[in-house]
Amino acid sequence: MRPSGRATDALRPVFIQTGFARHAEGSALIRMGGTEVLCAASVETRVPSFLRGKGQGWVTAEYGMLPRATHSRGPREAAKGRQSGRTQEIQRLIARSLRAVTDLRALGEISITVDCDVLNADGGTRCAAITGAWVALRLALETLVRAGTLPAVPLKGQVAAVSCGLTQEGAVLDLDYAEDSTARADSNFVLTADGGIVEIQGTAEQDPFTEAQFNTLMRLARTGTAELFRIQTATVEEALKA
């Protein structure tokens, strides 16, 4: 039995609330179990200097954790004057994931930054951030279409992410902190709704895992992201109706 009582192939309860950041062009507060991440997409009508005059846009992301998002207070990175390596790695992962499903040429010379702030952390914060960030980006692009800035939403598909790992219960989907902290191996899968792979991060914490075990984790990730894509779609459709 998993600590949460879930089946090995079950996600934690997932809920996405749109419009949480009222001033952002698109926003989503995603809850995956005890993990909560606020994703807010901001639009700028300019691009980084390396893209000026090239007729294409840019999508990037920033990531951070509130001091008491975890069991003990962590210092604000702004107070230390620099971001940790973990923060930089995660926000680059989020940005790559979003760009993988965005038609940057169709976006034109527009930049969108998705800020992902972890309010509560209970494992899987980067995966929740990617999943919620896509919803925030989708709604921000819809805002541009409705304003007449873009003729159509320049997205090529959906992207979501989920963790899988090897624990005492075997291969499991969507690890919470209790499982993640003791897992024999853990992986993060960033996948697209049409079956594509954006990125896989896999680490053996103890003994190396086998290819057969990896394939089991991959199958679990496909199961989990299929449900996340369904939730993303339903959330966006409901938001657009409103």
Side-chain angles (χ1 to χ4, degrees), residues 137-231:
L137 174 63
R138 172 67 178 82
L139 295 176
L141 293 171
E142 182 67 28
T143 298
L144 292 173
V145 171
R146 294 189 177 189
T149 305
L150 294 176
V153 172
L155 282 178
K156 297 181 286 186
Q158 287 174 250
V159 67
V162 73
S163 65
C164 299
L166 300 174
T167 69
Q168 291 182 346
E169 288 70 34
V172 298
L173 173 67
D174 190 18
L175 284 70
D176 55 26
Y177 177 78
E179 293 176 316
D180 185 56
S181 61
T182 60
R184 294 187 290 114
D186 62 90
S187 303
N188 299 303
F189 292 83
V190 186
L191 308 176
T192 62
D194 61 0
I197 298 171
V198 175
E199 191 154 338
I200 298 173
Q201 302 174 329
T203 304
E205 300 293 346
Q206 297 178 19
D207 297 327
F209 54 93
T210 67
E211 183 174 345
Q213 289 173 317
F214 171 79
N215 290 335
T216 299
L217 296 178
M218 186 72 189
R219 287 193 295 271
L220 285 173
R222 293 283 189 199
T223 297
T225 52
E227 177 63 9
L228 293 174
F229 293 135
R230 185 194 67 77
I231 294 170

Side-chain angles (χ1 to χ4, degrees), residues 12-156:
R12 291 172 289 177
V14 180
F15 174 75
I16 305 177
Q17 177 183 348
T18 60
F20 192 86
R22 291 178 296 170
H23 302 295
E25 282 79 8
S27 68
L29 174 65
I30 181 168
R31 297 185 179 96
M32 295 187 69
T35 290
E36 296 179 305
V37 184
L38 174 59
C39 306
S42 301
V43 174
E44 295 181 282
T45 54
R46 58 189 178 91
V47 292
S49 58
F50 68 89
L51 286 176
R52 288 176 192 160
K54 296 186 178 180
Q56 75 172 64
W58 189 243
V59 176
T60 189
E62 294 192 9
Y63 170 94
M65 298 182 71
L66 295 186
R68 278 317 301 266
T70 54
H71 295 91
S72 59
R73 185 184 187 277
R76 295 183 188 273
E77 293 186 340
K80 296 189 294 183
R82 60 182 176 84
Q83 290 180 316
S84 69
R86 176 183 182 275
T87 294
Q88 293 181 53
E89 183 262 322
I90 291 175
Q91 64 189 27
R92 288 169 182 162
L93 171 64
I94 298 168
R96 287 195 301 272
S97 302
L98 297 176
R99 288 196 294 271
V101 294
T102 304
D103 185 343
L104 297 176
R105 182 68 60 179
L107 181 59
E109 294 204 355
I110 291 173
S111 293
I112 300 179
T113 301
V114 184
D115 291 290
C116 300
D117 292 291
V118 180
L119 310 183
N120 288 293
D122 186 29
T125 61
R126 73 186 66 195
C127 294
I130 291 169
T131 303
W134 182 87
V135 174
L137 174 63
R138 172 67 178 82
L139 295 176
L141 293 171
E142 182 67 28
T143 298
L144 292 173
V145 171
R146 294 189 177 189
T149 305
L150 294 176
V153 172
L155 282 178
K156 297 181 286 186

